[in-house]
Amino acid sequence: MSATQTQRPPSTTLHGRALETVLAVSALLNSTLDLEEVVELTMHEVTRAMGAETGAVLLLDQVTEKLLFYVALGEKGAGVKGLEIPRDKGIVGHVVRTGQPLLVPDVTADPRFYGGVDKKSGFVTRSVLCAPLRVQDRVIGALEVCNKLGRPSFLDEEMDLFTALANQVALAIENARLYSRLSAAYRELEKLERKKSDFMAVASHELRTPLTSLVLYLEMLSGGVLGAVADEQREALEVCSRNASRLVHVTNDVTNMVEVGRRDISLDLQPASVADLLEEVAREVRYFVGERRQTLKLTLAANLPLVRLDRERVHLVVHNLVMNAIRYTPDGGRIEMASLPREPYARVEVRDTGIGIAESEWESIFLPFYRVQGHEHHSSGTYEFGSGGMGLGLSIAKGVVEAHKGRIGLTSEPGKGSVFFMELPLE
């Protein structure tokens, strides 16, 4: 060494190496949530940083209270991976029981050393640095490195760095375990969701066929096709027919909801006029508007380009939006259906002077079975409009619009009304 060079103090060298190692290990621990992969990658980095011949991670089985070699590096490590040792054996067992790190410069002079692992693997342990893997107040295992390269033993001042690395490894293991449990729970929920969807699909299919026949025969009876019907009988048949039609509507909603939930909406895309579609819906709902003594206004933008859409499904969306406006707008209120260009979309708006929706519910309202808070206090004087339904219409609408690569939303103010909009890409 020349006269002008100075040797870096050991503490400074160790501090720099500690920072470098902590950063490297942090990057590894954040790179994956695969438990075995993250532990093995980290152990390679820890062993290199500590200048050790080999290293291992042992995890404590809370049921058997045995320590399992989860990761063991090196050629000899393959022989002990998966090996279990009693919790009361060895230096590792001592560290796990006490929860304190331990440096053993010469294992032959320490009665706590357990030679069974060396005997099985053929490895010769000379010195050990071991630290507990601690999560909050629990010890879940231990981290150990063996045999300092180029020196008889590890240094006392290396204990702090090694303990810090053990804490990082413990946190990563716990995160990976939590992720694994959450993934398993999510998979189980997915299975239950599929079973629920299958049940709903089968139930709606089994209901649709008899309901369709029922509606047909009720119409034939009330129309006198099968013979003369007295006025009182006709009124009763019309009540039955309306309720059967409502059941058909509910069944269709369930079927559509199953498709939305599975993201299995098949679209028959054809160029279509949004104006024509709105006019058709307006004709269909005028009876309900008249029943409520409401005003329905139709505003159509001139020269709006055609839109590629599944006419039947988008018709359902608009119809649901308008029927909701009718349902939640008091008698004598105003409703407006409008189409307007909003490049690169065609925008449809349904405005009302109804009860309105608090901003805190704007996102939730598109969830299946969600019903607006306080809707039960809204009375329209008829069951059809006082009922809030099953809470599927807006969820179905969202699924259909998003399947068209469009978007749906709302603005609203309680007591003053709402504006629901959907935007579909122009052709």
Side-chain angles (χ1 to χ4, degrees):
M1 181 180 296
S2 66
T4 58
Q5 289 179 313
T6 58
Q7 186 174 6
R8 183 186 299 176
S11 59
T12 304
T13 304
L14 183 60
H15 176 76
R17 179 159 55 86
L19 179 60
E20 177 187 345
T21 304
V22 168
L23 291 174
V25 168
S26 295
L28 284 172
L29 296 180
N30 291 320
S31 64
T32 176
L33 281 171
D34 182 275
L35 181 56
E36 186 170 354
E37 182 181 357
V38 75
V39 172
E40 186 162 346
L41 288 172
T42 302
M43 276 311 303
H44 280 290
E45 184 65 30
V46 170
T47 304
R48 183 196 64 79
M50 301 307 300
E53 183 177 350
T54 190
V57 170
L58 294 93
L59 298 181
L60 178 64
D61 188 315
Q62 299 294 339
V63 178
T64 64
E65 292 204 337
K66 291 185 176 181
L67 289 163
L68 171 73
F69 274 88
Y70 190 73
V71 168
L73 301 183
E75 184 179 333
K76 304 293 186 181
V80 298
K81 184 177 179 181
L83 179 68
E84 290 183 331
I85 62 173
R87 185 184 180 185
D88 58 353
K89 294 285 187 181
I91 294 168
V92 174
H94 175 82
V95 168
V96 170
R97 291 194 307 275
T98 62
Q100 298 297 319
L102 185 64
L103 168 59
V104 179
D106 181 4
V107 297
T108 60
D110 195 310
R112 293 168 297 191
F113 176 66
Y114 174 64
V117 177
D118 279 10
K119 185 176 180 181
K120 180 174 179 59
S121 64
F123 184 78
V124 177
T125 304
R126 298 187 302 275
S127 59
V128 172
L129 184 57
C130 187
L133 297 173
R134 186 188 298 277
V135 176
Q136 296 178 346
D137 59 344
R138 294 183 298 116
V139 175
I140 64 171
L143 180 74
E144 73 168 4
V145 288
C146 302
N147 300 352
K148 181 75 173 182
L149 297 174
R151 194 183 302 140
S153 178
F154 300 95
L155 302 174
D156 288 335
E157 53 262 38
E158 291 178 305
M159 181 70 78
D160 289 341
L161 169 60
F162 190 66
T163 302
L165 294 175
N167 290 336
Q168 283 188 289
V169 172
L171 183 60
I173 291 173
E174 187 68 7
N175 287 343
R177 282 176 165 177
L178 287 173
Y179 176 77
S180 178
R181 288 196 288 269
L182 286 173
S183 296
Y186 181 74
R187 287 192 296 272
E188 189 62 30
L189 284 174
E190 281 188 323
K191 290 180 183 178
L192 293 174
E193 183 66 25
R194 283 195 296 272
K195 289 181 179 179
K196 183 191 76 174
S197 295
D198 291 344
F199 170 77
M200 291 171 66
V202 171
S204 61
H205 174 75
E206 292 298 322
L207 286 169
R208 186 183 292 108
T209 301
L211 280 172
T212 302
S213 298
L214 181 62
V215 170
L216 176 62
Y217 278 106
L218 285 171
E219 289 177 350
M220 293 171 65
L221 285 168
S222 61
V225 175
L226 303 179
V229 179
D231 290 342
E232 290 183 357
Q233 292 174 322
R234 180 174 289 104
E235 288 178 5
L237 288 170
E238 288 175 354
V239 170
C240 290
S241 183
R242 284 198 300 271
N243 282 284
S245 296
R246 183 179 297 130
L247 284 175
V248 171
H249 178 73
V250 169
T251 303
N252 290 336
D253 273 356
V254 171
T255 301
N256 288 321
M257 193 64 247
V258 170
E259 292 180 349
V260 169
R262 291 175 172 175
R263 290 175 173 79
D264 189 27
I265 302 178
S266 56
L267 300 178
D268 179 17
L269 298 176
Q270 301 291 336
S273 166
V274 173
D276 290 348
L277 191 149
L278 295 188
E279 288 176 338
E280 182 180 327
V281 173
R283 287 193 298 270
E284 293 173 354
V285 302
R286 285 197 186 281
Y287 167 80
F288 304 105
V289 172
E291 287 283 292
R292 303 293 310 284
R293 303 185 306 280
Q294 296 167 338
T295 302
L296 176 62
K297 180 182 178 183
L298 189 59
T299 304
L300 303 175
N303 302 320
L304 189 66
L306 296 180
V307 178
R308 284 183 62 82
L309 50 81
D310 186 315
R311 184 181 176 85
E312 182 178 345
R313 292 186 182 274
V314 175
H315 179 281
L316 172 67
V317 172
V318 178
H319 190 275
N320 280 344
L321 294 180
V322 176
M323 290 301 291
N324 279 346
I326 296 170
R327 178 178 291 119
Y328 293 113
T329 298
D331 292 349
R334 299 188 311 278
I335 298 166
E336 181 179 1
M337 300 166 60
S339 69
L340 56 154
R342 184 69 61 88
E343 294 287 349
Y345 297 98
R347 183 180 176 100
V348 173
E349 292 183 354
V350 177
R351 309 182 186 116
D352 64 57
T353 57
I355 61 175
I357 304 164
E359 187 173 355
S360 59
E361 297 187 79
W362 288 4
E363 291 187 12
S364 301
I365 201 171
F366 291 101
L367 297 175
F369 304 107
Y370 187 86
R371 301 170 80 177
V372 176
Q373 299 300 314
H375 76 89
E376 65 273 11
H377 302 304
H378 168 59
S379 174
S380 65
T382 59
Y383 174 79
E384 288 86 349
F385 298 108
S387 168
M390 294 178 65
L392 293 178
L394 289 177
S395 179
I396 294 169
K398 185 174 187 291
V400 170
V401 172
E402 289 181 348
H404 281 81
K405 310 300 182 188
R407 54 193 183 188
I408 188 169
L410 77 149
T411 57
S412 184
E413 186 175 347
K416 293 188 177 181
S418 304
V419 178
F420 278 84
F421 67 87
M422 70 170 180
E423 294 178 338
L424 301 173
L426 292 170
E427 185 175 20

